[in-house]
Amino acid sequence: MLQIINLKKIFKIQNNHNIAAIKNINFNCRKGQITGLIGPNGAGKTTTLRIISTIMNPTEGTVLFNNIDVRKEPNEIRRRIGFLTGSTGLYPNLTSIEILNFFCSLYEVDKKKKVITDLIEMLDMESFVNKKVDSLSTGMRQKLSIARTILHNPEFFILDEPMNGLDVLTSQSIRNFIIHEKKKGKCILLSTHNMHEAEHICDEIVLLHKGSIVTQGVPSELIEKEKMKNLEEVFLNFIGN
Amino acid sequence: MNIKKILTLFLKEMNEVFRDKKSLTMMIFIPLILYPFVLISTGYFSGNEINKVKNLKQSISIFCPDPMQQVPLIEELKKTLVVIKSTNPRLMLNKGEVEAVVEVNSCRLTGTSEFVIYFDKTRLGSVTAEKKIKVILEKGKKRNIVERLRAYNITEKILENFKIESINIASSDQMGAFIVSKIFPLMILILLFSGAMHNAISITAGEKQRQTLETILVSPLTRTEIVIAKYLTIFCTSLISTIIGLISLYLVFSYGFYMISNLTTESFSLSAVGLLLMFISIIPLSILFSSVLFMVGCWARTYKEAELYNTGILIIIIAIGIMTTNTQENIDINYFLFPVFNVVLTLKELLKEQVNVLHISLTVFTTFIYSFISLIISQRLFSKEAIILRI
């Protein structure tokens, strides 16, 4: 289980001016569940995900994954997480198989060849496995990104707007992948702008606004509690449109 | 620290370098093809141009108020130059219709003549004409003095009691080394920096821009391991580019003089030990430049921003190179403490086959210290999330 305890992040900008991107947030993310992190632009979603994924350090607070402190043992956490964003790039001059080989070596994956063969088969990548990333379509690239994210069999997924800017078919394949991993008992933290998607695939919702959690809970319960028709209305109700 | 993981990232980066056309162009094509081509062709064509102009008969004009004085002078000049009659020779010179104008002012009373040569120093033909006129006039002057002395029954040997002669004691090899020492270090400096520039930007600021850096940051590699792997890639690129450049330039200067031997008497050769010592002196600078490139790449948000900073640094490096190549001999030892300056000075010495162990040691040692400091700063920068994540 992932535990976010009193997490705070302050960015120092020019003229000794500080901006609190996250203000003492607390939430949990359980195994076999998808936790949706939603909020408008600048709410602090990406900052939260970056802290959890060890890219950033929090100003205050703790992030525990299976009781391992992210700050104290970042390398241990990195081995256990799969990080995917909609904007993540891939090395343009390498082929898909080279990228998979490279990340398998970094994560010290056992039986590298078998893992790669299985992934290629599972994600239907045979047709472009030897092609350079430069020449791949968006859908092919996204499949490769998914393969890269899951090749070390992570226990926990951090997905930052993974369907952002993708067409319907590619979004569908990502959605299928998320649900597939959830069924395998993985812990998934998903940041998204798509309220419809969040309402239907997330088991729990955390709504962030201006760095604070304004509400959290099961989507259907939140809708009922706020007496709204859907999650989008709940979102608008809290954000104040 | 996991060496295997560092090696994995390093090999991946090198793989990308060798597949990137821009990196290959900067690292191999420019030092191997472009530098030799530019050097040989400019040397050959400019040398040929000088020879061609020397063999031409330049047009000149003479302005002489006394026609009696003009006759012997014109006859003399006509042998090597074309003398054109004109009422306004200076205007013709300004228009470029003649290459030089000789103004003769004679005084019949004293029997003296004053010759003023007008020419345009920006034109090769004009400069050549001026030299030819001077030679002819000097000969005429000497002949005139001899004739006058004879009239007084004095032998011309009286003129030889005071003879001035300059003899260049430098051999053709030394002269070649002197010329090469003015160009070679500067070119090596440019190669060291520019050879790795594109690659350094690509694997730092370029990765930020392409958003591939995050995938490495969340992988089980520590920041230090990432820094080492990326730094090694930049260093290797710089070194490959420099080795190719060093060999290429050595061959160009060795065979370049041979190719233009009809134009010059200089030659150039360097012993294997000299070449090795040059390489040893260059390595620390390659380390320093690599860490500077890495530092800039970490700092910059985008490829273009890094390119802008690096272009500025390259201009400073070129300026230092030009300043140092034109410094005097027996320079103060303190200069060997300054980065870049010291390497250029050491290279200059080595090209002239002057092996000064103290200078080489000081250069290598101080540059290593600067490199180490720069590398620590780079590592610190890479650890700062505000810098590494700013896009």
Side-chain angles (χ1 to χ4, degrees), chain B residues 270-288:
Chain B
L270 189 68
S271 65
V273 178
L275 205 61
L276 184 73
L277 284 172
M278 278 177 70
F279 183 64
I280 291 168
S281 312
I282 286 168
I283 289 175
L285 193 62
S286 177
I287 295 172
L288 178 65

Side-chain angles (χ1 to χ4, degrees), chain B residues 46-242:
Chain B
S46 60
N48 259 0
E49 191 60 26
I50 293 166
N51 256 8
K52 217 166 93 183
V53 172
K54 267 185 192 171
N55 295 330
L56 272 177
K57 268 191 163 184
Q58 281 80 25
S59 307
I60 63 157
S61 192
I62 298 167
F63 177 72
C64 183
D66 185 353
M68 293 300 284
Q69 286 286 326
Q70 200 177 334
V71 182
L73 178 72
I74 294 175
E75 290 310 312
E76 220 31 64
L77 290 169
K78 266 183 181 173
K79 287 175 191 169
T80 45
L81 297 154
V82 178
V83 179
I84 296 169
K85 284 183 181 173
S86 168
T87 49
N88 194 347
R90 292 279 295 275
L91 185 70
M92 284 183 86
L93 176 66
N94 286 343
K95 284 182 178 175
E97 290 165 0
V98 289
E99 299 291 10
V101 172
V102 183
E103 196 180 285
V104 189
N105 298 308
S106 302
C107 177
R108 287 195 180 188
L109 204 66
T110 56
T112 55
S113 298
E114 187 193 39
F115 296 91
V116 182
I117 308 165
Y118 294 94
F119 75 110
D120 184 346
K121 216 173 180 178
T122 60
R123 284 165 19 209
L124 186 61
S126 191
V127 174
T128 313
E130 185 254 358
K131 279 180 187 165
K132 285 179 182 177
I133 294 166
K134 251 187 178 172
V135 170
I136 293 164
L137 291 179
E138 282 297 332
K139 275 184 188 170
K141 184 181 163 188
K142 196 179 174 187
R143 206 169 43 239
N144 189 272
I145 292 168
V146 170
E147 276 169 14
R148 284 187 179 196
L149 287 171
R150 275 181 192 161
Y152 291 103
N153 279 331
I154 301 169
T155 165
E156 68 218 59
K157 280 185 181 170
I158 197 165
L159 297 171
E160 288 166 18
N161 72 328
F162 196 83
K163 198 176 169 187
I164 302 166
E165 195 177 2
S166 306
I167 296 170
N168 181 12
I169 57 150
S171 65
S172 58
D173 264 8
Q174 284 170 321
M175 279 308 294
F178 173 75
I179 295 166
V180 172
S181 71
K182 296 263 175 200
I183 315 163
F184 197 102
L186 184 65
M187 292 194 131
I188 287 292
L189 280 190
I190 298 169
L191 266 180
L192 271 171
F193 197 80
S194 63
M197 195 165 93
H198 166 71
N199 174 49
I201 301 173
S202 179
I203 66 170
T204 49
E207 280 223 43
K208 277 191 207 176
Q209 207 174 340
R210 289 192 300 269
Q211 292 184 301
T212 48
L213 192 63
E214 281 189 354
T215 56
I216 294 291
L217 294 176
V218 293
S219 74
L221 275 167
T222 62
R223 296 286 194 274
T224 311
E225 286 166 348
I226 298 172
V227 169
I228 292 171
K230 284 189 179 288
Y231 175 76
L232 274 178
T233 313
I234 302 169
F235 174 61
C236 281
T237 321
S238 168
L239 216 54
I240 292 170
S241 167
T242 311

Side-chain angles (χ1 to χ4, degrees), chain A residues 36-50:
Chain A
L37 199 59
I38 60 170
N41 287 335
K45 303 187 295 290
T46 302
T47 305
T48 308
L49 298 186
R50 280 179 166 175

Side-chain angles (χ1 to χ4, degrees), chain A residues 2 4 8 17 19 22 32 73 91 100 128 139 156-157 164 171 183:
Chain A
L2 177 80
I4 315 290
K8 190 177 182 181
H17 214 79
I19 285 182
I22 306 169
E73 293 177 71
Y91 305 108
L100 295 178
F128 61 89
F156 171 47
F157 284 97
N164 196 17
S171 297
K183 282 178 184 167

Side-chain angles (χ1 to χ4, degrees), chain A residues 161-172:
Chain A
E161 296 173 29
M163 287 161 271
N164 196 17
L166 296 180
D167 62 33
V168 180
L169 281 174
T170 321
S171 297
Q172 182 64 42

